[in-house]
């Protein structure tokens, strides 16, 4: 029996020369004589839920393409099989809002946002990548103002079907699967109507995934044959590697359609390694999708750095390739959707797991992980105690496999020295279809017949650097590549480039807030709209912006500094907010809702006229100018002491912004 490379005391790897099993070895039989196991559906990443790829589009080349290569390029980095994106709904969905393709009923714009672009970039690198769309929120017209997307199932189905049809018509993108409503209630009638709507417009090949929450929908699938016929994939979120008994009884493919959600340090890498194997071994799930694809949003927003890698500094070009990229590669570079799992137990005698997959044409890939409990806890659900020990294992191939040599790839998490990820080691030679190997804890092995694996790399990206302390944007972009202005991160509402044909002066190209009704929300959106920008560490700032209130009598706009909350906590954001209103009043508040008023009075402002606001904060004192003249001063700012800059509106209303300029001390 051939023994796999064994490490010396110096950490080097060498071949054992004896063809004998290692002492205390457990034997695992891998064969296809009993037929193949379930079909493997691939490993993916999720962009959205929300605005998690927001800053990626603002990277300059070549860094943006490098990041995309690490994610999608076959045989290079993560080499993802699946890309899942949010179907934008104009509402806050964790780290920001993503714009809808239909902000009102007669509106269709299939160029808003960046998910279209991202899907095309993924397809450019891997034409075989599978695409999934899932809504978190919906525009208000879907339900005539109710916070519920199922009031008019035909209308909601039309909205979703239009997104899928638009992807093909305008971007030549074939969407493979669509979901119902992320982590919220499903509706049986709506699912049936959606299936009918898709079929009616020639989208029979688009599968429905349900219900992107817990396994509860399987209870209905067991008793409703019409619903069962409509649903192709049962997708659950954060299943803890376990699927329900009814889920298995449905006979449907089971996916962990959102998982991981853990900081991408070594613990995050081990979490990902463990669940990639054990979602199948324990739960019979044939696909796992990571939230999120890429941590490309301001780090101080919720779940900072919970991506497979990090790209949060487009202004510097700096990005970081963390361990989850290489953990993903252990599976994705040596398997493809359409391969099959072998029928084997998958549990190692002394802890850890393995999976074995084949293409049915003689190729074989084995992935082994030995992640320990304290080093592999994902953010959710709680991880029950377990033990993993060093051990020796033997694999015996049977059936049709005639394999003499396996390629070897290895990653080792070290907490007292530098970890090594995705290293190619010496091949192993099998003797009579068998090999043995020693396993340490906190490592992952791939043993494969596939010879195309590669640890891709680029020259080091630029060094990390903070957001520019002097930044301005006049929004004068005639043909913007994206609908959003660089670095602005919408937290409620949607702020888009706008061409103001009617303006007689210098405000032809502006940034406009365009959501005029509160959407069907997923998180706790604010009652005001707001977009943040800059460095969360900023304390002393001077912010100037031209603003145009478009709503007479009740309209209002603000600029702000030291904004200390975002994402799903945006309703409770504190800071220093300088408001002017269409009724000729101004207000200075310590919070976004405007409950804590620090100053107020007459401003003479009105709708339809451009005004220039200036907000200065120095230490614990703030002042405000209107059109270059002092309007208020000596306002005390006790808390917060740091935060982003921001612009926004009093409610869901149209308003424009121009000539934004910030100087930070």
């Amino acid at each position: 029996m051939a023994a796999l490379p064994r490490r010396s005391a110096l950490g080097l790897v060498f071949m054992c020369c004896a063809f004998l099993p290692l002492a205390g070895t457990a034997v695992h039989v891998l064969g296809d004589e009993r037929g193949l196991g379930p079909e493997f559906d691939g490993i993916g990443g999720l962009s959205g839920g929300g605005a998690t790829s927001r800053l990626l589009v603002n990277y300059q080349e070549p860094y943006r393409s490098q990041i995309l290569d690490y994610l999608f390029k076959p045989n290079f980095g993560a080499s993802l099989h699946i890309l899942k994106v949010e179907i934008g709904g104009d509402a806050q969905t964790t780290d920001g809002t993503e714009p809808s393709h239909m902000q009102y009923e007669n509106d269709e714009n299939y160029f808003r946002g960046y998910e279209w672009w991202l899907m095309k970039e993924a397809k450019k690198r891997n034409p075989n990548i599978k695409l999934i769309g899932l809504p978190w929120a919906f525009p208000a017209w879907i339900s005539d103002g109710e916070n519920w997307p199922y009031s008019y199932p035909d209308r909601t189905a039309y909205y979703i079907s239009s997104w899928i049809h638009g992807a093909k018509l305008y971007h030549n993108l074939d969407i493979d699967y669509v979901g119902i409503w992320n982590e919220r209630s499903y509706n049986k009638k709506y699912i049936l109507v959606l299936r009918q709507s898709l079929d009616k417009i020639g989208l029979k090949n688009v599968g429905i995934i349900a219900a992107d929450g817990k396994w509860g929908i399987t209870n209905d699938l067991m008793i409703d044959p019409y619903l069962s016929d409509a649903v192709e994939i049962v997708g659950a979120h954060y299943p803890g590697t376990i699927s329900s008994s009814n889920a298995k009884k449905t006979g449907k493919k089971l996916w962990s359609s959102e998982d991981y959600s853990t900081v991408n340090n070594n613990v995050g890498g081990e979490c990902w390694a463990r669940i990639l194997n054990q979602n199948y071994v324990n739960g019979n799930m044939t696909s796992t999708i990571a939230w999120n694809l890429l941590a490309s949003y301001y780090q101080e927003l919720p779940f900072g750095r919970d991506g497979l890698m990090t790209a949060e500094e487009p202004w510097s070009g700096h990005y970081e390739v963390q361990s989850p990229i290489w953990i993903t590669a252990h599976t994705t570079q040596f398997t493809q959707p359409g391969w099959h799992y072998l029928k084997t137990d998958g549990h190692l005698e002394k802890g850890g797991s393995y999976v074995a997959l084949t293409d049915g044409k003689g190729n074989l890939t084995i992935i082994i992980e030995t992640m320990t409990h304290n080093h592999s806890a994902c953010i959710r659900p709680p991880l029950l105690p377990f033990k993993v020990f060093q051990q020796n294992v033997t694999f015996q191939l049977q059936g049709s496999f005639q394999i003499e040599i396996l390629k070897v790839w290895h990653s080792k998490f070290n907490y007292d020295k530098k970890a090594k990820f995705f290293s190619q080691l010496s091949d192993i030679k099998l003797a009579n279809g068998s090999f043995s190997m020693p396993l340490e804890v906190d490592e992952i092995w791939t043993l494969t017949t596939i010879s195309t694996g590669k640890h891709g790399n680029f020259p080091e990206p630029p060094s990390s650097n903070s957001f520019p302390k002097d930044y301005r944007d006049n929004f004068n972009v005639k043909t913007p590549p994206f609908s959003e202005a660089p670095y602005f991160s919408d937290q409620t509402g949607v702020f888009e480039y706008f061409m103001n044909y009617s303006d007689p002066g210098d405000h032809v190209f502006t940034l406009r807030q365009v959501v005029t009704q509160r959407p069907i929300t997923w998180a706790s959106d604010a009652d005001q709209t707001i977009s943040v920008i800059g460095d969360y560490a900023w304390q002393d700032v001077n912010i100037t912006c031209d603003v145009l209130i478009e709503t007479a009598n009740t309209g209002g706009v603000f600029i702000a500094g030291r904004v200390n909350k975002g994402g799903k906590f945006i309703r409770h954001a504190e800071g220093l907010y300088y408001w002017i209103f269409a009724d000729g009043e101004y207000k200075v508040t310590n919070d976004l809702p405007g409950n804590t008023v620090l100053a107020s009075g007459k401003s003479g402002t009105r709708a339809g006229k451009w005004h220039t606001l200036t907000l200065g904060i120095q230490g614990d004192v703030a002042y405000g100018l209107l059109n270059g003249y002092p309007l208020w001063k000596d306002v005390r700012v006790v808390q917060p002491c740091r935060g982003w800059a921001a612009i926004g509106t009093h409610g869901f209303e149209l308003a424009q912004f121009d000539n934004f300029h910030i100087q930070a001390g």
Side-chain angles (χ1 to χ4, degrees), residues 15 18 53 287 295 514 577 600:
M15 293 295 301
S53 303
S287 177
V514 296
Y577 299 81
S600 62

Side-chain angles (χ1 to χ4, degrees), residues 449-472:
T449 57
I450 302 298
S451 60
T452 53
K454 181 181 178 181
H455 188 297
N457 64 83
F458 291 107
E460 283 292 313
S463 300
S464 174
N465 205 352
S466 58
F467 194 95
K469 290 187 175 182
D470 192 323
Y471 179 76
R472 66 178 72 223

Side-chain angles (χ1 to χ4, degrees), residues 264-332:
N264 54 25
N265 55 18
N266 280 355
V267 172
E270 291 208 37
C271 150
W272 186 231
R274 178 175 56 79
I275 63 178
L276 281 181
N277 266 19
Q278 294 190 25
N279 275 345
Y280 174 72
V281 171
N282 298 333
N284 211 38
M285 287 168 269
T286 55
S287 177
T288 298
I289 299 174
W291 187 89
N292 53 68
L293 170 75
L294 174 70
S296 196
Y297 45 98
Y298 290 115
Q299 187 176 340
E300 294 80 12
L301 289 168
F303 304 102
R305 295 206 163 203
D306 279 19
L308 296 178
M309 61 179 287
T310 303
E312 59 189 18
E313 289 187 18
W315 47 86
S316 72
H318 180 74
Y319 63 85
E320 297 178 22
V321 183
Q322 281 101 348
S323 62
I325 289 290
W326 305 117
I327 296 308
T328 310
H330 272 280
T331 298
T332 54

Side-chain angles (χ1 to χ4, degrees), residues 351-370:
S353 67
Y354 69 92
V355 293
L357 301 100
T358 180
D359 64 355
K361 302 175 182 178
N363 283 310
L364 176 69
T365 292
I366 306 164
I367 305 111
I368 305 166
E369 61 81 21
T370 58

Side-chain angles (χ1 to χ4, degrees), residues 4 57 76 113 162 204 260 308 371 569 572 614 627:
L4 196 78
V57 297
F76 189 85
S162 297
K204 293 183 179 180
Y260 175 62
L308 296 178
M371 304 303 138
F569 305 113
H572 309 291
T614 301
N627 301 324

Side-chain angles (χ1 to χ4, degrees), residues 221-478:
L221 293 174
M222 294 287 289
I223 60 175
D224 188 334
Y226 297 103
L227 183 65
S228 183
D229 286 345
V231 173
E232 182 174 338
I233 305 290
V234 178
H237 288 193
Y238 307 98
T241 77
I242 302 297
S243 55
S244 70
S245 58
N246 271 357
K248 295 174 182 176
K249 290 176 184 176
T250 64
K252 301 284 185 185
K253 288 187 173 185
L254 310 180
W255 287 12
S256 178
S257 52
E258 183 179 322
D259 218 325
Y260 175 62
S261 186
T262 303
V263 175
N264 54 25
N265 55 18
N266 280 355
V267 172
E270 291 208 37
C271 150
W272 186 231
R274 178 175 56 79
I275 63 178
L276 281 181
N277 266 19
Q278 294 190 25
N279 275 345
Y280 174 72
V281 171
N282 298 333
N284 211 38
M285 287 168 269
T286 55
S287 177
T288 298
I289 299 174
W291 187 89
N292 53 68
L293 170 75
L294 174 70
S296 196
Y297 45 98
Y298 290 115
Q299 187 176 340
E300 294 80 12
L301 289 168
F303 304 102
R305 295 206 163 203
D306 279 19
L308 296 178
M309 61 179 287
T310 303
E312 59 189 18
E313 289 187 18
W315 47 86
S316 72
H318 180 74
Y319 63 85
E320 297 178 22
V321 183
Q322 281 101 348
S323 62
I325 289 290
W326 305 117
I327 296 308
T328 310
H330 272 280
T331 298
T332 54
Q333 289 202 22
F334 310 105
T335 61
Q336 289 298 324
W339 283 41
H340 284 261
Y341 289 97
L342 296 186
K343 294 178 179 179
T344 184
D345 176 76
H347 295 98
L348 295 173
E349 186 178 40
K350 295 186 178 180
S353 67
Y354 69 92
V355 293
L357 301 100
T358 180
D359 64 355
K361 302 175 182 178
N363 283 310
L364 176 69
T365 292
I366 306 164
I367 305 111
I368 305 166
E369 61 81 21
T370 58
M371 304 303 138
T372 54
H373 180 278
N374 290 348
H375 290 160
S376 69
C378 304
I379 193 170
R380 66 177 77 87
L383 185 59
L384 296 176
F386 65 86
K387 298 287 187 181
V388 179
F389 302 95
Q390 292 183 349
Q391 57 193 299
N392 300 322
V393 297
T394 294
F395 289 94
Q396 177 67 55
L397 306 189
Q398 294 183 354
S400 66
F401 293 110
Q402 302 295 319
I403 296 172
E404 296 181 354
I405 294 176
L406 289 171
K407 303 291 182 182
V408 180
W409 292 81
H410 177 251
S411 293
K412 172 67 175 176
F413 291 89
N414 287 310
Y415 291 84
D416 55 353
K417 56 184 178 180
K418 188 174 181 180
K420 292 185 177 181
F421 299 116
F422 205 57
S423 301
Q424 185 171 13
L425 307 183
S426 301
D427 297 349
I428 61 165
K429 296 181 179 180
L430 283 68
N432 299 319
S434 180
F435 64 92
S436 296
M437 60 187 299
L439 300 178
E440 296 181 3
V441 300
D442 296 327
E443 62 181 8
I444 182 168
W445 295 86
T446 297
L447 316 170
T448 182
T449 57
I450 302 298
S451 60
T452 53
K454 181 181 178 181
H455 188 297
N457 64 83
F458 291 107
E460 283 292 313
S463 300
S464 174
N465 205 352
S466 58
F467 194 95
K469 290 187 175 182
D470 192 323
Y471 179 76
R472 66 178 72 223
D473 193 338
N474 60 15
F475 311 117
N476 288 353
V477 184
K478 293 182 179 179

Side-chain angles (χ1 to χ4, degrees), residues 449-638:
T449 57
I450 302 298
S451 60
T452 53
K454 181 181 178 181
H455 188 297
N457 64 83
F458 291 107
E460 283 292 313
S463 300
S464 174
N465 205 352
S466 58
F467 194 95
K469 290 187 175 182
D470 192 323
Y471 179 76
R472 66 178 72 223
D473 193 338
N474 60 15
F475 311 117
N476 288 353
V477 184
K478 293 182 179 179
T479 56
F482 300 98
S483 57
E484 304 93 340
Y487 314 144
F488 280 92
S489 180
D490 303 346
Q491 299 301 307
T492 297
V494 172
F495 294 73
E496 297 180 347
Y497 281 115
F498 180 66
M499 186 176 290
N500 191 352
Y501 291 101
S502 63
D503 187 87
D506 299 327
H507 300 291
V508 176
F509 299 100
T510 66
L511 193 68
R512 193 187 202 195
Q513 200 296 119
V514 296
V515 179
T516 57
Q517 285 183 281
R518 185 178 183 83
I520 300 171
T521 59
W522 185 82
S524 297
D525 293 51
D527 296 321
Q528 305 75 24
T529 73
I530 179 172
S531 188
V532 302
I533 187 172
D535 191 331
Y536 190 83
W538 280 344
Q539 297 179 330
D540 295 346
V541 293
N542 187 281
I543 306 166
T544 298
C545 189
D546 297 340
V547 298
L548 177 69
I549 303 169
E550 297 190 54
T551 302
N553 301 320
T554 60
V557 299
F558 70 81
I559 62 174
R562 296 187 183 178
V563 177
N564 70 345
K565 292 184 180 70
K568 61 181 184 178
F569 305 113
I570 191 61
R571 284 187 68 85
H572 309 291
E574 299 170 312
L576 202 287
Y577 299 81
Y578 173 18
W579 307 78
I580 60 168
F581 299 96
D583 64 0
E585 301 285 331
Y586 81 89
K587 187 165 60 174
V588 183
T589 68
N590 208 181
D591 59 340
L592 178 59
N595 295 326
T596 304
V597 179
L598 304 178
S600 62
K602 298 291 184 181
S603 62
T605 51
R606 58 183 174 85
K609 177 179 173 58
W610 282 94
H611 301 282
T612 300
L613 301 185
T614 301
L615 170 65
I617 309 175
Q618 300 291 327
D620 60 357
V621 177
Y623 67 90
L625 307 181
L626 175 63
N627 301 324
Y629 295 95
L631 182 63
W632 53 272
K633 63 179 181 178
D634 297 331
V635 169
R636 301 283 293 180
V637 186
V638 179

